[in-house]
Structures are given as C-alpha cells and as structure tokens.
Amino acid sequence: MNDPNSCVDNATVCSGASCVVPDSNFNNTLSVVLSTVLTILLALVMFSMGCNVEIKKFLGHIKRPWGICVGFLCQFGIMPLTGFVLSVAFDILPIQAVVVLIMGCCPGGTSSNILAYWVDGDMDLSVSMTTCSTLLALGMMPLCLLIYTKMWVDSGSIVIPYDNIGTSLVALVVPVSIGMFVNHKWPQKAKIILKIGSIAGAILIVLIAVVGGILYQSAWIIAPKLWIIGTIFPVAGYSLGFLLARIAGLPWHRCRTVAFETGMQNTQLCSTIVQLSFTPEELNIVFTFPLIYSIFQLAFAAIFLGFYVAYKKCHGKNKAEIPESKENEMEPESSFYKINGGFKPDEK
C-alpha cells in the first residue's frame, strides 16, 4: 500500500509503474462541463487575438509565404524528426515511440497565438501559421507517420481523426476572422477587446493545465523515460524553431513567433488519435504522454516568457520591437518589404 511504485486500488490495467484508472461518473460530467466552458472561452480568446491581425498583412503572408514556409519546415520537418531521434535515443517501447511521433506530427496549438502576443511576436504570421499547419495536417500527418513509424508499427493502424482536425480548423478560423473584421472596422474597440482577451488567454492556459491535472490524476504514474522525453521535446521544438527561423533570415519578432508555433503542439488532437488507435492495454503505456507534453510545453513557455519580460525591463524598452527596431530603420521602404518583411533577410 505504501509502495510509491504500486498502482492504485481501482486500476483496471497495470504494468510495472504504469496504470490505467477507469473514469468515474464525476470525471465524465466534469469533463463535459469543463470542455464546453473551455471551448467557449477559447473561441472568445481567439476572437480577441483576431482583433490584433490586420487583413492586409495577413493576406501578405498568404501571398508571399516565406515565413509560413519556414514554419511548415519546422512543424512537419523538425518536430517529427526530433520525436524519432528521442524515441531511438531513449530506446522506449515501440508503442510509446509511436505516440511520441504522433505528438511530433500534430499541427500547432492555438495557445501559441496567445503566447506570440505576449512576446510581441508577429500575430499575422502566428495566425496564418496555425491555420496553414492545421489545414496541411490533413495530408502531412499521415505522410510523416508513414515515414517515421514503419520501423515499429503499420501506420495504417493509426486512426487520423479528420473530423477533429476540421473542427479545430473551424474553431480557429471563424472567431479569428470575426476579430479581423472588427479590427478593420473599429480599430479602437479592437484594442480594448485585445487587452481583455490577452488576460483571458493567460487564464485559459492555466485552466487547461489545472483541468488536465484534475481529470487525469493517474497520469502522474508513468514510465520515467516518457517524463524525460516529455521534458526535452518541447524545449527542442522551441529552440530549433527559433534557430531555423533566424538562419532563414527572419527578424527577431518573427523568430519568437516561429519558435512558439513549432514547440506548442495540439495535444488535444494527439490524445484523440491515441484513444482511437490503441487498445485499453496499450493505452496503459502511452495514454498520458500528451498530458505530460502539454504540462512541460506550457511550463517552458512560461519560463521563456519570463525571460523575455525581464529582458524588456532590463533594456528599458517600451515598444513591442526590441532588437529589430534599429534594424528596421535601415530597411528599404519598398512595397514588397512593407507587405511581408519576412521574405527579406536582416541586413547587418
């Protein structure tokens, strides 16, 4: 009873230090209620984020998608490859490796848009990247899983919930589009909505972490290797995304945007795929990894945000753009640059 490595009494399936606990009626009810509340709150937050997106700049990123292409390479190039390398390096079970790879192949999550705002990122690029990665996930997820998982499992056994991806896309596009319209018609009111929404977004991120801990208390009993991978994976995503964006010549504020878009994954989608694709016995070993990743992606995002805020205060900067402000003064004022400066490498 006092053994910390033993499963709880009501566990249905046990294997070593991992266990699966059946959902109680309370948990089911709480899950439905909180999911509904969080969905409504998320829609309102994305509406407010849309109030910071300018239609002209957003379309500029779509028409000349250099920043989006860099993000695409990070999202469906770096993340799946990182998941594969970590799985091989830690020599985890095949079924666990598949779940790590599913996480790496998922599109960016909407929390990245909120964090991009807080670090003075390019909101037009952030929203366009999230939208495009969710849309492209319909084809890129099966392709990446086919490439990386064939050494462990038949990729045909992994169920891709296209309806969930479509729902995520609609839940993102509709409120953001309304916010963009409000910003176009009533820019002053949009600024007020944005301030309220940014605070609500911070509360939403905390709520998601707390709700996950309440609903999946058994997640704390899991293989140590998955905890380690769940810690390293998001940090690698943030760091490699930032590095690749800088190598590609994007200005600093877009590098921060790409970094969060790369490391911040859609963990809810990953959880859905895992539940649809594996048996209860297999879920025993892998089900809680998406929650572990979610916890650490938020934790490290908060740390990076704290460093950025401290950096701003240290350098006494009140404007949104810090390092690039002086560089931008030297840039030629061409219409091409005004539409999408991400296409032009920084000039030293």
Side-chain angles (χ1 to χ4, degrees):
M1 294 293 292
N2 296 325
D3 184 4
N5 294 322
S6 63
C7 284
V8 293
D9 294 336
N10 63 332
T12 55
V13 183
C14 290
S15 176
S18 299
C19 65
V20 168
V21 178
D23 289 336
S24 64
N25 289 332
F26 171 76
N27 263 17
N28 289 331
T29 304
L30 184 63
S31 178
V32 172
V33 172
L34 291 179
S35 294
T36 304
V37 172
L38 289 178
T39 300
I40 296 171
L41 183 56
L42 177 61
L44 293 174
V45 169
M46 293 316 298
F47 162 67
S48 68
M49 293 296 104
C51 289
N52 196 37
V53 176
E54 295 180 24
I55 296 176
K56 186 178 179 180
K57 291 182 178 179
F58 178 81
L59 293 177
H61 282 297
I62 300 297
K63 292 176 181 178
R64 298 178 175 86
W66 176 241
I68 294 175
C69 288
V70 173
F72 172 82
L73 182 58
C74 293
Q75 191 71 63
F76 297 110
I78 286 179
M79 291 303 285
L81 180 59
T82 302
F84 178 81
V85 170
L86 288 173
S87 299
V88 173
F90 284 91
D91 193 27
I92 55 180
L93 297 174
I95 198 70
Q96 293 173 329
V98 171
V99 174
V100 172
L101 285 165
I102 291 173
M103 177 60 72
C105 295
C106 282
T110 50
S111 298
S112 60
N113 306 124
I114 302 169
L115 289 163
Y117 171 79
W118 281 105
V119 297
D120 300 324
D122 186 334
M123 286 302 298
D124 307 289
L125 177 61
S126 179
V127 171
S128 59
M129 278 183 63
T130 304
T131 304
C132 290
S133 70
T134 304
L135 180 61
L136 292 170
L138 295 170
M140 290 305 300
M141 283 191 71
L143 177 61
C144 290
L145 290 171
L146 174 64
I147 294 171
Y148 288 105
T149 64
K150 59 183 179 183
M151 69 177 288
W152 290 299
V153 70
D154 177 16
S155 61
S157 63
I158 301 174
V159 180
I160 307 295
Y162 294 102
D163 54 340
N164 286 64
I165 297 175
T167 302
S168 298
L169 190 61
V170 171
L172 169 67
V173 171
V174 172
V176 168
S177 299
I178 297 173
M180 290 168 64
F181 177 77
V182 171
N183 187 32
H184 179 69
K185 285 288 187 181
W186 306 284
Q188 294 303 318
K189 292 182 180 179
K191 290 180 181 178
I192 299 173
I193 296 172
L194 178 61
K195 289 180 181 179
I196 298 172
S198 63
I199 297 172
I203 296 172
L204 175 64
I205 291 174
V206 174
L207 276 177
I208 290 173
V210 172
V211 168
I214 294 173
L215 294 180
Y216 304 106
Q217 297 176 26
S218 61
W220 308 110
I221 309 174
I222 198 71
K225 286 183 179 180
L226 287 183
W227 276 100
I228 297 172
I229 292 175
T231 305
I232 297 174
F233 204 174
V235 176
Y238 293 139
S239 305
L240 294 174
F242 186 92
L243 180 62
L244 183 61
R246 195 58 189 159
I247 291 173
L250 297 185
W252 291 102
H253 69 301
R254 289 198 175 106
C255 290
R256 297 192 294 270
T257 303
V258 172
F260 278 116
E261 289 292 333
T262 303
M264 190 68 66
Q265 297 292 82
N266 190 333
T267 54
Q268 294 88 349
L269 178 60
C270 181
S271 295
T272 302
I273 295 173
V274 169
Q275 291 181 65
L276 292 175
S277 303
F278 302 114
T279 64
E281 290 76 16
E282 291 170 332
L283 286 175
N284 162 59
I285 307 172
V286 300
F287 176 67
T288 51
F289 178 75
L291 179 60
I292 293 172
Y293 186 98
S294 179
I295 291 170
F296 284 107
Q297 76 173 1
L298 293 174
F300 284 111
I303 292 172
F304 294 149
L305 175 59
F307 276 123
Y308 177 73
V309 171
Y311 178 81
K312 283 178 67 176
K313 288 183 178 179
C314 247
H315 286 73
K317 299 290 185 179
N318 295 320
K319 292 183 180 181
E321 298 305 328
I322 296 176
E324 60 268 27
S325 58
K326 291 184 180 179
E327 295 175 4
N328 287 345
E329 293 174 2
M330 304 299 295
E331 294 291 347
E333 295 295 326
S334 66
S335 58
F336 177 77
Y337 176 75
K338 287 180 180 177
I339 292 175
N340 192 350
F343 275 86
K344 186 172 183 63
D346 293 342
E347 293 179 0
K348 300 296 181 183

